[in-house]
Amino acid sequence: MLKRLQDMPLSFRVPLIASAMMVLVGVVASQQVLSSLSSVQEARLQELARLHVDGLAVALGPSVLRRDVWEVFDTLDRATAAGSGQRMVLTVVADEAGRVIAASDPLRAPVDSDVGPLADGAQTIDAIRLSGTEDHIRVAAPLDYQGRNVGLIISELNVADLVAERWKAGLYLLAGNAVATLVLAFGGYLAMRRMLKPVARLAGHMGRMEGTLEPIPASDVPKGDTELARLFQTYNAMSDAVHAKAEAERRLAERERFVSLGRLSSSLAHEINNPLGGLLNAADTIHTYADRPEVVRQSAELMQRGLGHLRDVTRAILDQNRLDRAGQPLRPEDFEDLRLLFEPEVHSRNQALDWQVGAAASALECQAAAPVRQVTLNLLLNAGAAAGMNGKVGLTVANDGNGLSISVTNTGAAMSDGDLARLMDSGPLPPGGGVGLRLVHDIVAGLGGTIGHERAEGQTRIRVDLPAQGGPHA
């Protein structure tokens, strides 16, 4: 029942709960009204019965002592004719032994019969109670005369009108409560629908966005400084913050891409400068010994190798920074490009490079090339900087179930707490340091992957596990 109530719309649930509470209040109030009515009716009956019995006691005392049947009957008949007969339908007078002396209806209580059957179930005057189902009640009272108990008076009262009055009052209360509950429930439903209309508008706006947050137009924001207005304003502020964060992340990614390129520029300049020197020497040799075919051939082969190296370096730089690579699948050639870009860093520090790319092409093509290249290059650059002179840097790329595992190791010092916070956490960036490690964290999180850190035997290992992104054109 509770589960079904929770599944109902709020515009139905609140009026229904309010109606149930109103019904409960109506039932309690009706019981109080009926209880008060019963108390008034019973007090009236007690007063009537006491006056009747007291009057009979004064008039019947001597006759009961003499056991004068006709005098007792005459007194009862006159008392009935005086006006109490409509309520007192039967009055029986018995002596101390419980034998009937006279009754207003001799057929129901013959003279000298036992009064016990009539006395059974009779109430005392001070304890008269209306059950609500019986039209007649019997009341028993002692007959006292001059301070002495000389007999018993039993009266039967017709309370059909009082019972009918109680039923009528109950029906009026029931009908009034039902009408009031229905009217107020319908009014509550309309009020809740009106109050929740802005919430429905907000939910519909969010449902149409398909994963993107768009501000709600000012014309749709509720007027006034209400809770709903503040909710809409908070949503718009959150939407603006999300857009600002996305724009900042985009600019951060672009900046980090060019920062990575800048870190490689000096080493790449050396890689380009050496082939250029050789090419100039080869061109000068050809110019000087143009009449010697074997020298020209050797110089031409040297120029061809140098130009090929320049072509590879240039292509690797372009592939790393080309915007049109977005959405392209990862290939083994992408890691060869990264090696070509990173090797000048290794050579400048006289480091040892352990390069192991063992993942199958089918596993690579289920990943997007641009983010994976960016993650790998950033980790390699940080590992190279941490390893220092004569250190060791390693890269291992392998299949991991249906996904891809990338491990980068170095023999440098352990990572600082600030660097670990940038790489592993999503909180605010600690002061100092760059943004490359946080960019790695954000890209991996966006791809649904995980990052692990391990420091053992003087070596730091960063492992990135990426799930398959859906197919060759992920």
Side-chain angles (χ1 to χ4, degrees):
M1 181 66 180
L2 290 177
K3 181 65 170 62
R4 187 174 301 175
L5 182 63
Q6 292 174 353
D7 293 338
M8 294 178 63
L10 192 63
S11 57
F12 286 96
R13 195 190 321 162
V14 173
L16 185 61
I17 295 176
S19 300
M21 295 178 65
M22 289 173 55
V23 169
L24 180 61
V25 171
V27 169
V28 174
S30 298
Q31 289 294 331
Q32 293 295 327
V33 171
L34 292 177
S35 177
S36 299
L37 179 61
S38 297
S39 299
V40 172
Q41 292 177 337
E42 290 166 358
R44 288 166 52 191
L45 287 176
Q46 291 173 4
E47 182 180 3
L48 177 63
R50 186 174 291 107
L51 291 174
H52 179 70
V53 170
D54 290 347
L56 289 178
V58 173
L60 294 176
S63 301
V64 171
L65 288 176
R66 295 193 306 270
R67 196 174 176 80
D68 189 340
V69 175
W70 290 107
E71 185 65 24
V72 172
F73 179 79
D74 182 63
T75 302
L76 293 178
D77 186 59
R78 283 187 283 110
T80 301
S84 61
Q86 294 181 352
R87 181 71 68 189
M88 300 292 181
V89 296
L90 175 66
T91 301
V92 179
V93 178
D95 58 15
E96 293 177 297
R99 310 304 297 181
V100 174
I101 297 176
S104 60
D105 186 356
L107 296 179
R108 294 186 57 187
V111 176
D112 207 32
S113 64
D114 186 12
V115 80
L118 292 176
D120 291 342
Q123 306 179 38
T124 63
I125 292 178
D126 293 333
I128 292 178
R129 294 291 181 270
L130 294 177
S131 64
T133 57
E134 297 180 358
D135 292 339
H136 295 77
I137 61 172
R138 287 196 297 275
V139 178
L143 176 58
D144 295 329
Y145 181 69
Q146 295 182 349
R148 172 189 171 189
N149 181 261
V150 297
L152 179 68
I153 299 176
I154 297 177
S155 298
E156 184 174 311
L157 287 73
N158 183 359
V159 295
D161 58 329
L162 301 180
V163 173
E165 185 180 8
R166 291 183 61 182
W167 275 102
K168 189 175 181 180
L171 291 176
Y172 283 157
L173 288 172
L174 179 62
N177 289 336
V179 172
T181 300
L182 290 177
V183 171
L184 292 178
F186 183 69
Y189 168 75
L190 295 180
M192 286 301 300
R193 291 283 293 180
R194 182 177 180 83
M195 293 171 59
L196 292 177
K197 189 175 181 180
V199 178
R201 187 185 307 133
L202 175 61
H205 182 82
M206 297 178 65
R208 294 192 300 269
M209 293 185 304
E210 298 179 353
T212 61
L213 293 180
E214 293 295 337
I216 298 177
S219 58
D220 291 342
V221 176
K223 306 301 180 183
D225 187 22
T226 64
E227 290 80 359
L228 288 175
R230 291 197 294 271
L231 175 63
F232 276 62
Q233 294 165 1
T234 302
Y235 169 81
N236 283 343
M238 180 182 67
S239 174
D240 294 339
V242 169
H243 282 289
K245 181 176 182 294
E247 179 63 20
E249 290 177 347
R250 186 190 66 79
R251 293 182 179 180
L252 181 64
E254 292 298 324
R255 176 178 177 272
E256 186 62 25
R257 177 175 297 176
F258 290 106
V259 167
S260 301
L261 181 60
R263 294 176 61 179
L264 296 173
S265 297
S266 59
S267 298
L268 290 176
H270 179 73
E271 290 294 309
I272 294 174
N273 188 56
N274 286 341
L276 282 177
L279 290 174
L280 290 174
N281 289 334
D284 185 63
T285 300
I286 292 174
H287 181 73
T288 304
Y289 301 100
D291 56 343
R292 296 176 60 179
E294 66 281 2
V295 175
V296 172
R297 186 181 303 108
Q298 291 177 358
S299 298
E301 291 176 355
L302 177 62
M303 292 180 67
Q304 186 176 16
R305 290 194 299 271
L307 289 172
H309 181 72
L310 292 177
R311 178 200 62 198
D312 293 340
V313 172
T314 303
R315 180 177 57 80
I317 296 174
L318 290 176
D319 280 348
Q320 182 63 23
N321 295 277
R322 269 170 45 189
L323 296 178
D324 59 356
R325 284 298 308 276
Q328 294 298 315
L330 189 65
R331 304 168 303 169
E333 290 82 357
D334 289 308
F335 288 100
E336 293 302 321
D337 291 345
L338 291 177
R339 181 170 186 173
L340 185 62
L341 291 173
F342 183 63
E343 278 183 339
E345 287 277 306
V346 173
H347 294 158
S348 66
R349 296 187 178 96
N350 196 28
Q351 296 172 343
L353 179 61
D354 181 17
W355 195 274
Q356 298 180 23
V357 180
S362 59
L364 296 178
E365 67 183 4
C366 290
Q367 303 291 335
V372 175
R373 284 173 62 115
Q374 186 67 42
V375 166
T376 306
L377 180 59
N378 280 11
L379 291 178
L380 286 172
L381 291 175
N382 280 278
M389 295 299 297
N390 302 317
K392 294 181 180 180
V393 179
L395 171 70
T396 302
V397 181
N399 294 10
D400 185 14
N402 294 328
L404 189 68
S405 172
I406 302 173
S407 296
V408 177
T409 60
N410 72 84
T411 56
M415 297 180 66
S416 66
D417 293 340
D419 289 340
L420 277 176
R422 292 182 181 88
L423 179 64
M424 307 298 292
D425 299 334
S426 300
L429 285 172
V435 295
L437 293 176
R438 175 50 57 88
L439 182 62
V440 169
H441 174 275
D442 292 343
I443 293 177
V444 172
L447 295 175
T450 58
I451 302 177
H453 167 265
E454 181 184 6
R455 176 71 181 178
E457 299 179 357
Q459 181 174 266
T460 300
R461 178 185 299 274
I462 304 297
R463 173 168 172 160
V464 175
D465 293 312
L466 299 174
Q469 299 299 313
H473 300 289

